[in-house]
Amino acid sequence: CSSVLAGRRRKRNLDGTLRLGNQHLEGLEVDFLYHLGLNTSTYDLPAMFGDVKFVCLGGTKHRMKELACYMTKLLGYNEDQAPVNLTKHSLRFAMYKVGPVLSVSHGIGIPSMTTALQEVIKLMYYAKAVDPFFFRVGTSGGIDIPAGSVVVSSFGMNGTFEKSYNLPILGTIHKFPSQLDTRLCQELASLASDAGEFQTFIGGTMGAEDFYRGQGRLDGPFCNYTEADKMAFLRKLSSLGIRNIEMEANAFGAITKEAGVRAAIVCVTLLNRLDGDQVTSTKDILKTWEKRSMFIVGNFVTAYMKKH
Ligand code: R2B
Ligand code: URA
C-alpha cells in the first residue's frame, strides 16, 4: 500500500498538480482536446478550470447535467442559472462546471469513456488543478444484491477475470492493473450508510465489453450459451468478489491509477442479474435510484469542503 501511494505521489508535483509521463506533450505548441472542444491556445485553462477538485464522470449527458444541478443546490450556488455545457462546440460529450465540481459525460463503453477521461486528465494537467479526485458516477447490473443498491468498487475486472485493462498498443496487448483508492472507497461507503434508504456494498466491478453476451445476458439478438451457463458465470463472478457489472470499471481504475489520481467508482444497480436480464423498473424509479450515487459523491464533496 505504501509503495502504491509513493508511486501515485511521484506522478504529482509537490504542489499537487498532475505530472504526466508523456514527454511528447512538451513538443506541442497547441494541444487540442478535440472531444471536449477546448485547446491550450484559445482558452485560459488555468483560469477556467484551475480550481477543480472533484471530477465526476458518468455515461449520459442528461445525468451529468442533473449532477451539475444537484451540486449547484448542495454547494449553495445560484439555482436560477441553468448549467452551461462547456463542450458545446464539440457535440460529443457534455461538460459542466459548478465551483470545484466538474461533471462530464463519457458515453457507453471503454473506448468512449477512455477518450473523455484522458482528455479530462490532460485538462486537469494544463489547468494546474491541485490533487483532483476522479469519480465515475454510474449505473450497473448487481449480482446477488437488491436492485437499487449502490456499489462502491474496490477493483475493476475485465471479461476474462483479469483485474486489468488490456489495451493493444502498436500491435501488442499491454495490461494495466485496475486499482482504485481503498481509503476513498471506504470513506464513500461510510458516507452512504447514513441515508438508510438503500444498501451500499463495497466490491469488485466487472467492466464488460458488451451489454448483452459480454454480461452473460440471454436477451440479446444472439446467444450461444444456456441459462445454466449464464448462471454459472454470474456465480463465478460472485465468488471472485464481483458485486456488479457495467462497461467501464476496469479501464477507469487502470487509467486513473496510471495518472496517479485518487479515484472511485460509485454505481447504482438497476436490477439483480440473478433475477433476470431486462431493466424493467419505471422511469421514475430509475431516476430516484440514479440519484443515490450522486448523493454519496455529494456527501463526500461537502464533507471534504468542510474539512478544507
Ligand atoms: C452502465 O450502463 C451503460 C449501459 O447501459 C454503460 O455505460 C454502463 O457502464
Ligand atoms: N449497465 C450495464 O452495463 N449493465 C446493466 O445490467 C445495467 C446497466
Side-chain angles (χ1 to χ4, degrees):
C1 174
S2 59
S3 67
V4 169
L5 284 176
R8 283 182 185 226
R9 275 198 204 108
R10 270 200 301 278
K11 291 174 182 167
R12 278 184 267 154
N13 296 311
L14 285 177
D15 63 1
T17 55
L18 303 195
R19 187 191 291 179
L20 298 180
N22 180 8
Q23 70 222 34
H24 300 288
L25 289 180
E26 287 155 31
L28 288 180
E29 210 165 288
V30 182
D31 192 353
F32 289 88
L33 307 178
Y34 164 63
H35 302 87
L36 300 183
L38 294 167
N39 66 67
T40 53
S41 160
T42 319
Y43 298 90
D44 183 351
L45 300 179
M48 290 172 75
F49 299 101
D51 63 340
V52 170
K53 193 80 202 171
F54 312 98
V55 178
C56 302
L57 292 116
T60 74
K61 293 181 179 188
H62 179 75
R63 183 148 34 84
M64 299 326 283
K65 189 174 182 180
E66 295 250 300
L67 188 139
C69 293
Y70 179 68
M71 292 293 175
T72 301
K73 192 171 179 177
L74 200 65
L75 299 176
Y77 290 104
N78 183 359
E79 288 179 69
D80 297 336
Q81 281 169 1
V84 176
N85 179 4
L86 301 170
T87 73
K88 57 183 179 301
H89 300 299
S90 137
L91 301 176
R92 187 64 72 173
F93 302 115
M95 178 163 73
Y96 304 93
K97 183 174 178 299
V98 181
V101 179
L102 198 64
S103 181
V104 191
S105 71
H106 63 55
I108 288 188
I110 290 173
S112 179
M113 187 282 292
T114 56
T115 303
L117 176 60
Q118 290 177 96
E119 290 190 11
V120 175
I121 287 171
K122 288 206 293 177
L123 178 62
M124 292 298 97
Y125 165 69
Y126 290 125
K128 301 193 190 312
V130 176
D131 281 326
F133 292 93
F134 280 66
F135 300 99
R136 182 175 122 67
V137 183
T139 57
S140 62
I143 299 182
D144 212 9
I145 56 177
S149 305
V150 173
V151 177
V152 185
S153 310
S154 46
F155 61 88
M157 180 179 270
N158 72 7
T160 49
F161 312 116
E162 293 172 291
K163 292 180 184 173
S164 63
Y165 164 47
N166 300 353
L167 178 69
I169 302 176
L170 305 184
T172 307
I173 295 270
H174 290 250
K175 298 188 179 195
F176 298 92
S178 182
Q179 277 169 13
L180 293 148
D181 190 302
T182 307
R183 232 176 86 185
L184 182 59
C185 166
Q186 284 164 353
E187 211 171 320
L188 287 161
S190 77
L191 287 166
S193 56
D194 298 345
E197 285 165 26
F198 58 91
Q199 286 177 268
T200 302
F201 298 86
I202 292 179
T205 300
M206 182 184 141
E209 299 280 338
D210 172 58
F211 187 80
Y212 290 100
R213 285 181 290 186
Q215 301 189 18
R217 281 189 155 81
L218 300 170
D219 62 344
F222 319 107
C223 191
N224 42 357
Y225 46 83
T226 65
E227 178 163 17
D229 295 335
K230 163 195 155 174
M231 294 311 284
F233 170 67
L234 295 178
R235 296 255 177 240
K236 174 162 180 178
L237 289 182
S238 181
S239 75
L240 294 172
I242 298 295
R243 289 286 198 180
N244 62 340
I245 309 178
E246 38 85 291
M247 297 177 68
E248 296 88 10
N250 57 316
F252 188 85
I255 287 183
T256 51
K257 176 179 158 54
E258 199 176 3
V261 294
R262 289 168 291 178
I265 305 175
V266 185
C267 285
V268 75
T269 57
L270 305 183
L271 73 168
N272 177 3
R273 286 298 315 288
L274 297 190
D275 295 339
D277 294 335
Q278 301 231 320
V279 179
T280 55
S281 297
T282 63
K283 204 171 144 222
D284 284 348
I285 288 181
L286 294 176
K287 242 182 138 181
T288 309
W289 288 353
E290 284 182 11
K291 293 223 172 81
R292 293 178 173 175
S293 31
M294 292 184 203
F295 167 83
I296 295 172
V297 173
N299 278 354
F300 180 84
V301 169
T302 45
Y304 185 92
M305 303 272 283
K306 257 184 220 152
K307 268 193 258 161
H308 295 86

